[in-house]
Amino acid sequence: MSIDGNCGGAEATGVTPEGAAWLASAGTYPRSTRVLWDDQPTAPVVLACGSAFDVVSAPALFGRHMLDRLWDEGPGSGPVAAHRGRMLLFAAPGTAQRLPSLLEWEEWGSGGASERGRAIPPLLCHGTGDAVTVPAPTLLAPPAPTAPAHLGSRWLVAPDTRAPWLPGPEIMLWAAVRAARSAARRQLSEPSRAVPISIFPPADQDAKVYDVSRRR
């Protein structure tokens, strides 16, 4: 997969034609989607979930922690996009139906009564019957400060094959739990701050290259 980042000497390459074909295959009319991208190369597009992929949508900061856990300690991730303050983690079909049940079973359900339940922010699971808005294949690099609002979308892990590897519900559960535990450890180790910190850092901060050669 093509990776977003500006460190480590790596160069971001964006969504490949094969990756774009995979994204377009989620729609009823893939050719129309490709035509739209040709005519409006920076326009986000709405894609149906449930056939080619499901999507787990997390708040930006927590989603970034999930992504880091997947790459630093786990098997890697599927394609990942940032869109309007949310992190969209592409997952195997069926994940949207199964993941909420797994979170509840393990008492990590979002918004639960226990501390564990509140440790994971609401995760929006999009599957059969749902659709998500994703960045255009060209949107990889951080947008300019004066760009239109919709250009806040970009790919963090860009699809580059017609059959990318996608994590299932168990892996997404593992990543969410690891991210929650990591956040709890940071809160215990860091001094309290008088000034609130925004969860939306500038687009060019915290850029990271994920080593795709390690993905299992």
Side-chain angles (χ1 to χ4, degrees):
M1 292 182 185
S2 302
I3 307 300
D4 168 39
N6 57 11
C7 59
E11 181 178 351
T13 57
V15 179
T16 65
E18 292 79 10
W22 172 72
L23 289 171
S25 72
T28 305
Y29 304 104
R31 182 173 296 179
S32 297
T33 301
R34 300 298 298 275
V35 170
L36 172 63
W37 284 332
D38 289 339
D39 292 342
Q40 303 179 51
T42 62
V45 66
V46 177
L47 297 176
C49 301
S51 58
F53 52 77
D54 282 0
V55 169
V56 176
S57 172
L61 184 61
F62 190 80
R64 171 64 79 171
H65 292 327
M66 287 181 64
L67 184 58
D68 287 345
R69 298 286 70 74
L70 284 167
W71 284 101
D72 292 346
E73 305 169 20
S77 73
V80 179
H83 181 71
R84 296 193 174 185
R86 305 285 297 186
M87 195 79 76
L88 308 181
L89 296 101
F90 285 66
T95 298
Q97 180 179 6
R98 182 70 176 141
L99 180 58
S101 298
L102 290 176
L103 286 167
E104 292 295 337
W105 179 263
E106 297 291 341
E107 299 182 357
W108 287 93
S110 299
S114 67
E115 286 190 24
R116 293 182 72 181
R118 292 190 294 270
I120 296 179
L123 301 179
L124 306 180
C125 298
H126 303 287
T128 303
D130 299 326
V132 294
T133 301
V134 303
T138 56
L139 291 182
L140 183 75
T146 56
H150 74 270
L151 292 185
S153 300
R154 61 182 178 127
W155 288 99
L156 301 176
V157 182
D160 61 0
T161 76
R162 290 180 179 268
W165 180 81
L166 299 170
E170 292 81 5
I171 293 176
M172 298 303 289
L173 170 68
W174 175 89
V177 170
R178 285 296 183 98
R181 288 174 173 168
S182 177
R185 287 194 297 269
R186 282 193 300 273
Q187 289 178 356
L188 290 174
S189 62
E190 292 179 357
S192 60
R193 302 175 186 271
V195 180
I197 304 299
S198 171
I199 67 170
F200 303 112
D204 59 350
Q205 288 189 4
D206 297 327
K208 183 170 184 177
V209 173
Y210 299 98
D211 182 5
V212 293
S213 65
R214 292 182 58 251
R215 187 174 62 78
R216 298 169 190 168

